[in-house]
Amino acid sequence: MLKNSFKRLCMVLLCSILVFSNTEKTSAFSDESLTVSENMAVPKVDYNSVIRKDSETTTYGVLNAEEIAKAYGITDYESITVTLFNRHEDYKPLNTPLFFDSIYVDNISGPRQACGGTKIAENSSTNFAKKTVTKTVTITGTGSNTFSTNLGASFSIDANTISAGVGFNVTSSISLSDSSTAKLKYLQTLTVIGYPAYEVYEYDIMLRKFGGSTEKIGTGLAYRCTGFCTITRVR
């Protein structure tokens, strides 16, 4: 009987080890590089093509206008530009020490440029004069920073920790404005559409373990809204 009891005990211990081992594997994150969201367009900003510049903003042309228009389902565009604001509000976190089992952000890379998939401003003007006139249309809107993470189910990270790591508040917003000008014939309409322009940063999510060693437990993307991706249409 003692021999049978010992065998049963060994089987229970073996099953417990196997279950614990499987749990460890299940909680691991998928170590795949993150990409910019599919509903975003990636502009090739032509920094040598400055269309407008003032104390607040600089407007550039793009080298892949047709590709961007296609991403938004637009075929009859007049121009596509990226207007970037010169001002930034950096995040100033508190100096909090990292204790054992602390989760933090490290290995930040970027930025890459991206145009958001959600329209945040639109305005238009029609020429009702029976002659060609020059019209200027202004758009205003609010662009918001955001972030995404690829993290195992047994871990979590808050926005403040990500903000401290990447150097800007990933939940803040910015007021945006932009203007476009075009010559319109009789009954032509100038339409200006604004999408948020983002700087995209990639980062690793790290765990400081007991003993001081560290482990990569996830990855993420932080999106910093820096202006407008502006599409101008004349119809």
Side-chain angles (χ1 to χ4, degrees), residues 51 60-62 65-66 68-69 77-82 230-232:
I51 298 172
Y60 301 95
V62 296
E66 187 173 344
I68 294 173
Y77 65 92
E78 183 78 9
S79 66
I80 295 178
T81 58
V82 173
T230 304
I231 298 177
T232 301

Side-chain angles (χ1 to χ4, degrees), residues 3 5 9 31-32 49 76 78 88 119 124 158 177 194 212 220 222 229 234:
K3 187 175 182 180
S5 298
L9 177 62
D31 193 8
E32 299 175 357
S49 172
D76 56 342
E78 183 78 9
H88 290 302
K119 178 172 61 179
S124 62
D158 59 39
S177 65
C229 292
V234 175

Side-chain angles (χ1 to χ4, degrees), residues 34 91 93 96 98 101-109 147-151 156-168 170 201-208 214-223:
L34 294 175
Y91 187 75
T96 53
L98 288 174
D101 295 328
S102 292
I103 293 177
Y104 64 99
V105 165
D106 201 6
N107 303 324
I108 295 93
S109 62
F147 66 94
S148 63
T149 59
N150 182 13
L151 193 60
S156 64
I157 186 169
D158 59 39
N160 288 335
T161 301
I162 297 172
S163 298
V166 299
F168 62 91
V170 295
Y201 296 83
E202 188 167 357
Y203 55 86
D204 292 334
I205 303 172
M206 308 296 294
L207 171 67
R208 183 180 295 277
T214 59
E215 177 188 355
K216 178 180 173 181
I217 59 172
T219 56
L221 293 172
Y223 299 85

Side-chain angles (χ1 to χ4, degrees), residues 77-234:
Y77 65 92
E78 183 78 9
S79 66
I80 295 178
T81 58
V82 173
T83 297
L84 302 179
F85 280 69
N86 303 326
R87 67 184 188 276
H88 290 302
E89 294 182 4
D90 291 328
Y91 187 75
K92 295 179 175 57
L94 297 174
N95 282 325
T96 53
L98 288 174
F99 299 104
F100 300 133
D101 295 328
S102 292
I103 293 177
Y104 64 99
V105 165
D106 201 6
N107 303 324
I108 295 93
S109 62
R112 293 174 287 157
Q113 296 291 335
C115 296
T118 302
K119 178 172 61 179
I120 58 175
E122 182 174 350
N123 198 8
S124 62
S125 179
T126 301
N127 175 22
F128 292 106
K130 294 184 178 180
K131 61 180 180 179
T132 299
V133 298
T134 299
K135 289 275 191 178
T136 298
V137 170
T138 300
I139 54 174
T140 59
T142 301
S144 299
N145 298 345
T146 187
F147 66 94
S148 63
T149 59
N150 182 13
L151 193 60
S154 58
F155 298 102
S156 64
I157 186 169
D158 59 39
N160 288 335
T161 301
I162 297 172
S163 298
V166 299
F168 62 91
N169 190 334
V170 295
T171 61
S172 69
S173 300
I174 182 174
S175 296
L176 305 171
S177 65
D178 195 14
S179 298
S180 293
T181 301
K183 289 184 177 180
L184 302 181
K185 297 177 181 179
Y186 176 51
L187 294 183
Q188 279 191 319
T189 298
L190 168 63
T191 301
V192 182
I193 306 168
Y195 295 86
Y198 290 113
E199 289 179 348
V200 185
Y201 296 83
E202 188 167 357
Y203 55 86
D204 292 334
I205 303 172
M206 308 296 294
L207 171 67
R208 183 180 295 277
K209 299 189 291 186
F210 182 79
S213 63
T214 59
E215 177 188 355
K216 178 180 173 181
I217 59 172
T219 56
L221 293 172
Y223 299 85
R224 184 181 197 173
C225 186
T226 56
F228 268 130
C229 292
T230 304
I231 298 177
T232 301
R233 308 171 75 179
V234 175

